[in-house]
Amino acid sequence: AQRFLTKQIALGALEPSSPYEFLGADVVDSVAHRDLALEVAQQTLVLLRNENRPGGSASQRGLPLSSEATIAFIGPHCRSTVALLGNYHGINVQVLNSSIVDVATAMGLNFTASDGTGPLPSIASQAKSADVAVLCLGLTVNDEGEGHDRTSLGLPLAQVELAATVVSAQPYTVAVLVNGGALSIEPLVTGASAVVSVVEAFYPAQAGGMAILQTLLGRSNRFGKLPYTMYPEGLENRSIGNYDLQ
């Protein structure tokens, strides 16, 4: 509370009027601030899992991905823009052309993309035809937010089924998670549907697409740490008096 109030006082937020309220886009959306947004996004990504599986080619492995690989981006967040901003944000024009697919196009990567809502056999074929699949999964403000709590720790069932379909067709699959609250990810790390790598991106904001792609390709390696514990699905069914969370 002390640090929070100190910053508020320094910014004049407790005064009747603050000069920072009237800053224009030339200041707020400056090159320096865009660079800072990218740096913050890079440092908040968290690597939850990374394995190399035997038998694949040089393009089929854990992170970093090869820029020469054919990549199949699959899932609801591969084309997300405003969803990357999370709950609290203003109008942001830059993010509208900064999805993972937009950045991959600008980088000249060889890829296909699907939001994962088509027939599962077609999605499996797309994944199998690539060297590696990147599942772009997670939540949006329609699933969680202030005054809008989730009743489950798990990914939406449709996404769990999508992941199982993709992994069965393409063993070299990486999962990127976009979300705010903690998720249970057992389906992504255990059993036959386990992916090679998992990157937690949270809501990475306006430079999220660039930060995610740079990190997947090894051009950035500034992973951070989780701000919370990721508990298994079913934890919400435990007694509130049971503190044994091992």
Side-chain angles (χ1 to χ4, degrees):
Q2 180 179 357
R3 289 184 295 177
F4 177 70
L5 289 173
T6 299
K7 290 295 183 183
Q8 282 193 310
I9 293 171
L11 294 172
L14 303 182
E15 302 298 328
S17 179
S18 168
Y20 297 103
E21 295 178 12
F22 307 102
L23 295 177
D26 58 326
V27 175
V28 176
D29 193 30
S30 64
V31 173
H33 288 174
R34 289 188 178 193
D35 291 343
L36 180 60
L38 176 59
E39 181 179 357
V40 170
Q42 290 170 337
Q43 293 193 48
T44 53
L45 300 182
V46 180
L47 184 63
L48 300 180
R49 174 186 177 94
N50 196 32
E51 295 184 351
N52 281 322
R53 291 185 177 171
S57 68
S59 298
Q60 296 176 310
R61 59 188 184 188
L63 299 180
L65 302 181
S66 169
S67 59
E68 304 300 320
T70 300
I71 304 172
F73 293 106
I74 300 172
H77 279 300
C78 71
R79 289 191 174 92
S80 287
T81 54
V82 176
L84 301 181
L85 299 177
N87 285 271
Y88 297 99
H89 60 82
I91 298 173
N92 188 304
V93 177
Q94 184 194 1
V95 78
L96 297 180
N97 297 307
S98 300
S99 71
I100 293 174
V101 167
D102 290 326
V103 176
T105 300
M107 288 182 173
L109 300 181
N110 184 11
F111 72 93
T112 61
S114 166
D115 62 7
T117 58
L120 292 180
S122 296
I123 294 171
S125 177
Q126 175 193 354
K128 187 174 182 178
S129 298
D131 293 319
V132 61
V134 175
L135 282 167
C136 305
L137 309 175
L139 309 175
T140 70
V141 293
N142 294 323
D143 301 302
E144 61 181 2
E146 187 171 352
H148 183 194
D149 295 331
R150 289 182 282 137
T151 58
S152 169
L153 292 174
L155 284 163
L157 180 59
Q159 293 187 33
V160 175
E161 295 174 346
L162 174 64
T165 296
V166 170
V167 174
S168 67
Q170 177 53 266
Y172 300 96
T173 296
V174 174
V176 175
L177 304 176
V178 175
N179 57 282
L183 284 171
S184 168
I185 59 171
E186 291 110 313
L188 299 178
V189 296
T190 60
S193 62
V195 300
V196 175
S197 307
V198 180
V199 174
E200 172 62 79
F202 303 103
Y203 292 122
Q206 68 183 51
M210 177 64 76
I212 290 169
L213 255 295
Q214 287 185 344
T215 300
L216 293 182
L217 294 171
R219 300 176 187 179
S220 172
N221 185 16
R222 308 186 69 182
F223 289 111
K225 296 181 179 180
L226 287 173
Y228 45 55
T229 300
M230 299 179 74
Y231 290 112
E233 178 75 10
L235 180 72
E236 64 270 21
N237 297 323
R238 295 168 65 100
S239 166
I240 194 172
N242 184 352
Y243 299 105
D244 179 14
L245 299 178
Q246 296 183 0

PDB file of all heavy atoms in Angstrom, residues 48-49 51 185-191 193-195 197-198:
ATOM      1  N   LEU A  48       6.813 -23.153 -18.826  1.00  0.00           N
ATOM      2  CA  LEU A  48       6.322 -24.158 -17.885  1.00  0.00           C
ATOM      3  C   LEU A  48       6.821 -25.555 -18.210  1.00  0.00           C
ATOM      4  O   LEU A  48       6.894 -26.413 -17.328  1.00  0.00           O
ATOM      5  CB  LEU A  48       4.788 -24.169 -17.879  1.00  0.00           C
ATOM      6  CG  LEU A  48       4.092 -22.859 -17.485  1.00  0.00           C
ATOM      7  CD1 LEU A  48       2.585 -23.034 -17.536  1.00  0.00           C
ATOM      8  CD2 LEU A  48       4.534 -22.412 -16.099  1.00  0.00           C
ATOM      9  N   ARG A  49       7.154 -25.795 -19.470  1.00  0.00           N
ATOM     10  CA  ARG A  49       7.593 -27.124 -19.882  1.00  0.00           C
ATOM     11  C   ARG A  49       8.373 -26.985 -21.177  1.00  0.00           C
ATOM     12  O   ARG A  49       8.023 -26.198 -22.051  1.00  0.00           O
ATOM     13  CB  ARG A  49       6.372 -28.024 -20.100  1.00  0.00           C
ATOM     14  CG  ARG A  49       6.668 -29.426 -20.669  1.00  0.00           C
ATOM     15  CD  ARG A  49       5.352 -30.144 -20.966  1.00  0.00           C
ATOM     16  NE  ARG A  49       5.539 -31.444 -21.575  1.00  0.00           N
ATOM     17  CZ  ARG A  49       5.581 -32.593 -20.915  1.00  0.00           C
ATOM     18  NH1 ARG A  49       5.457 -32.604 -19.603  1.00  0.00           N
ATOM     19  NH2 ARG A  49       5.730 -33.736 -21.549  1.00  0.00           N
ATOM     20  N   GLU A  51      10.655 -29.912 -23.619  1.00  0.00           N
ATOM     21  CA  GLU A  51      11.312 -31.195 -23.797  1.00  0.00           C
ATOM     22  C   GLU A  51      11.691 -31.408 -25.257  1.00  0.00           C
ATOM     23  O   GLU A  51      11.025 -30.898 -26.162  1.00  0.00           O
ATOM     24  CB  GLU A  51      10.382 -32.339 -23.362  1.00  0.00           C
ATOM     25  CG  GLU A  51      10.032 -32.345 -21.888  1.00  0.00           C
ATOM     26  CD  GLU A  51       9.194 -33.550 -21.513  1.00  0.00           C
ATOM     27  OE1 GLU A  51       8.756 -34.270 -22.433  1.00  0.00           O
ATOM     28  OE2 GLU A  51       8.979 -33.777 -20.314  1.00  0.00           O
ATOM     29  N   ILE A 185      -3.456 -27.355 -16.161  1.00  0.00           N
ATOM     30  CA  ILE A 185      -3.017 -27.760 -17.496  1.00  0.00           C
ATOM     31  C   ILE A 185      -2.635 -29.239 -17.567  1.00  0.00           C
ATOM     32  O   ILE A 185      -1.861 -29.637 -18.440  1.00  0.00           O
ATOM     33  CB  ILE A 185      -1.830 -26.899 -17.960  1.00  0.00           C
ATOM     34  CG1 ILE A 185      -0.645 -27.022 -16.987  1.00  0.00           C
ATOM     35  CG2 ILE A 185      -2.245 -25.452 -18.130  1.00  0.00           C
ATOM     36  CD1 ILE A 185       0.627 -26.374 -17.509  1.00  0.00           C
ATOM     37  N   GLU A 186      -3.209 -30.065 -16.694  1.00  0.00           N
ATOM     38  CA  GLU A 186      -2.867 -31.495 -16.750  1.00  0.00           C
ATOM     39  C   GLU A 186      -3.025 -32.108 -18.128  1.00  0.00           C
ATOM     40  O   GLU A 186      -2.181 -32.903 -18.553  1.00  0.00           O
ATOM     41  CB  GLU A 186      -3.721 -32.304 -15.766  1.00  0.00           C
ATOM     42  CG  GLU A 186      -3.423 -32.061 -14.313  1.00  0.00           C
ATOM     43  CD  GLU A 186      -4.555 -31.311 -13.669  1.00  0.00           C
ATOM     44  OE1 GLU A 186      -5.002 -30.313 -14.254  1.00  0.00           O
ATOM     45  OE2 GLU A 186      -5.009 -31.739 -12.599  1.00  0.00           O
ATOM     46  N   PRO A 187      -4.087 -31.787 -18.885  1.00  0.00           N
ATOM     47  CA  PRO A 187      -4.226 -32.410 -20.208  1.00  0.00           C
ATOM     48  C   PRO A 187      -3.079 -32.074 -21.161  1.00  0.00           C
ATOM     49  O   PRO A 187      -2.850 -32.814 -22.121  1.00  0.00           O
ATOM     50  CB  PRO A 187      -5.552 -31.832 -20.726  1.00  0.00           C
ATOM     51  CG  PRO A 187      -6.298 -31.434 -19.508  1.00  0.00           C
ATOM     52  CD  PRO A 187      -5.256 -30.958 -18.553  1.00  0.00           C
ATOM     53  N   LEU A 188      -2.364 -30.981 -20.896  1.00  0.00           N
ATOM     54  CA  LEU A 188      -1.277 -30.565 -21.780  1.00  0.00           C
ATOM     55  C   LEU A 188       0.077 -31.139 -21.368  1.00  0.00           C
ATOM     56  O   LEU A 188       1.035 -31.073 -22.143  1.00  0.00           O
ATOM     57  CB  LEU A 188      -1.170 -29.040 -21.816  1.00  0.00           C
ATOM     58  CG  LEU A 188      -2.388 -28.274 -22.327  1.00  0.00           C
ATOM     59  CD1 LEU A 188      -2.128 -26.773 -22.252  1.00  0.00           C
ATOM     60  CD2 LEU A 188      -2.739 -28.687 -23.751  1.00  0.00           C
ATOM     61  N   VAL A 189       0.169 -31.688 -20.174  1.00  0.00           N
ATOM     62  CA  VAL A 189       1.481 -32.132 -19.689  1.00  0.00           C
ATOM     63  C   VAL A 189       1.493 -33.592 -19.236  1.00  0.00           C
ATOM     64  O   VAL A 189       2.540 -34.091 -18.814  1.00  0.00           O
ATOM     65  CB  VAL A 189       1.971 -31.226 -18.524  1.00  0.00           C
ATOM     66  CG1 VAL A 189       2.179 -29.807 -19.008  1.00  0.00           C
ATOM     67  CG2 VAL A 189       0.985 -31.259 -17.354  1.00  0.00           C
ATOM     68  N   THR A 190       0.356 -34.271 -19.310  1.00  0.00           N
ATOM     69  CA  THR A 190       0.315 -35.672 -18.891  1.00  0.00           C
ATOM     70  C   THR A 190      -0.370 -36.520 -19.956  1.00  0.00           C
ATOM     71  O   THR A 190      -1.204 -36.045 -20.718  1.00  0.00           O
ATOM     72  CB  THR A 190      -0.450 -35.840 -17.567  1.00  0.00           C
ATOM     73  OG1 THR A 190      -1.792 -35.377 -17.720  1.00  0.00           O
ATOM     74  CG2 THR A 190       0.216 -35.065 -16.445  1.00  0.00           C
ATOM     75  N   GLY A 191      -0.018 -37.779 -19.981  1.00  0.00           N
ATOM     76  CA  GLY A 191      -0.689 -38.724 -20.860  1.00  0.00           C
ATOM     77  C   GLY A 191      -0.356 -38.553 -22.328  1.00  0.00           C
ATOM     78  O   GLY A 191       0.590 -37.857 -22.712  1.00  0.00           O
ATOM     79  N   SER A 193      -1.777 -36.890 -24.605  1.00  0.00           N
ATOM     80  CA  SER A 193      -1.993 -35.571 -25.193  1.00  0.00           C
ATOM     81  C   SER A 193      -0.973 -34.535 -24.737  1.00  0.00           C
ATOM     82  O   SER A 193      -1.126 -33.337 -25.001  1.00  0.00           O
ATOM     83  CB  SER A 193      -3.404 -35.073 -24.863  1.00  0.00           C
ATOM     84  OG  SER A 193      -3.567 -34.927 -23.459  1.00  0.00           O
ATOM     85  N   ALA A 194       0.094 -34.987 -24.052  1.00  0.00           N
ATOM     86  CA  ALA A 194       1.103 -34.048 -23.544  1.00  0.00           C
ATOM     87  C   ALA A 194       1.858 -33.389 -24.693  1.00  0.00           C
ATOM     88  O   ALA A 194       2.273 -34.039 -25.648  1.00  0.00           O
ATOM     89  CB  ALA A 194       2.086 -34.771 -22.631  1.00  0.00           C
ATOM     90  N   VAL A 195       2.023 -32.078 -24.598  1.00  0.00           N
ATOM     91  CA  VAL A 195       2.757 -31.321 -25.611  1.00  0.00           C
ATOM     92  C   VAL A 195       4.236 -31.282 -25.258  1.00  0.00           C
ATOM     93  O   VAL A 195       4.647 -31.634 -24.151  1.00  0.00           O
ATOM     94  CB  VAL A 195       2.205 -29.885 -25.730  1.00  0.00           C
ATOM     95  CG1 VAL A 195       0.736 -29.903 -26.137  1.00  0.00           C
ATOM     96  CG2 VAL A 195       2.378 -29.130 -24.411  1.00  0.00           C
ATOM     97  N   SER A 197       6.224 -28.433 -25.313  1.00  0.00           N
ATOM     98  CA  SER A 197       6.542 -27.218 -24.555  1.00  0.00           C
ATOM     99  C   SER A 197       5.268 -26.464 -24.216  1.00  0.00           C
ATOM    100  O   SER A 197       4.292 -26.490 -24.970  1.00  0.00           O
ATOM    101  CB  SER A 197       7.471 -26.299 -25.357  1.00  0.00           C
ATOM    102  OG  SER A 197       8.614 -26.988 -25.816  1.00  0.00           O
ATOM    103  N   VAL A 198       5.294 -25.767 -23.072  1.00  0.00           N
ATOM    104  CA  VAL A 198       4.184 -24.914 -22.665  1.00  0.00           C
ATOM    105  C   VAL A 198       4.742 -23.557 -22.261  1.00  0.00           C
ATOM    106  O   VAL A 198       5.640 -23.469 -21.413  1.00  0.00           O
ATOM    107  CB  VAL A 198       3.389 -25.509 -21.480  1.00  0.00           C
ATOM    108  CG1 VAL A 198       2.237 -24.574 -21.100  1.00  0.00           C
ATOM    109  CG2 VAL A 198       2.867 -26.899 -21.808  1.00  0.00           C
TER     110      VAL A 198
END
